[in-house]
Amino acid sequence: MQSDTDYMNKALQQAEIAAENGEVPVGALLITADGEEFVSGNAPITTDDASAHAEMRVIREACQALGNYRLTGSTLYVTLEPCLMCAGAIVHARISRVVYAASDPKTGAVESLYQILSDERLNHQAEITSGVLADESSKLLKSFFRSRRNKRKNS
């Protein structure tokens, strides 16, 4: 059986692909209750779709493949703490567990700014594991934004 680190490495590969495509390097991997794997990276820029975050894309793909908008028993791995939109989709899809790498102090809605996935006022709470390969994810994000700043300075 693979570990959280193994699965997060797969999500990081998706984040690297997103960065190569000029997207903010965030990757996601969803493991269904039956063990099926779905992967995706961020694509709001290339798709002209503000909702094309890695988490949203992988949730959509899994729901469509399974023919069900509920993903009960599934685990979502993501390289950056989900935002409000993605946390809402996680609740609606009834994803059982969320594992994320780096915290997001600016838009994080799992633990940083909001605690959507553990809010008992909502009809679903997910188990949360944070910090898995956080350093690797943070380095990738920092490198991406440093590169973008340098490109703007040199333009």
Side-chain angles (χ1 to χ4, degrees), residues 42-64:
N42 253 8
I45 296 166
T46 55
T47 62
D48 295 320
D49 179 357
S51 71
H53 289 192
E55 304 95 305
M56 297 295 288
R57 295 179 73 212
V58 80
I59 289 168
R60 278 189 201 115
E61 184 182 343
C63 289
Q64 290 171 355

Side-chain angles (χ1 to χ4, degrees), residues 12 79 101-103 133-144:
L12 277 168
T79 60
S103 295
L133 297 181
D135 289 341
E136 291 82 348
S137 179
S138 292
K139 286 176 188 172
L140 183 59
L141 286 158
K142 287 175 184 173
S143 173
F144 175 81

Side-chain angles (χ1 to χ4, degrees), residues 71-75 90 94-98 124-128:
L71 298 171
T72 307
S74 63
T75 299
I90 290 164
R94 306 292 193 271
I95 293 172
S96 299
R97 182 170 179 243
V98 174
H124 175 74
Q125 292 79 44
E127 179 186 336
I128 302 161

Side-chain angles (χ1 to χ4, degrees), residues 147-155:
S147 173
R148 289 188 69 178
R149 283 191 300 275
N150 289 338
K151 284 181 184 175
R152 276 186 261 164
K153 284 181 188 177
N154 296 328
S155 298

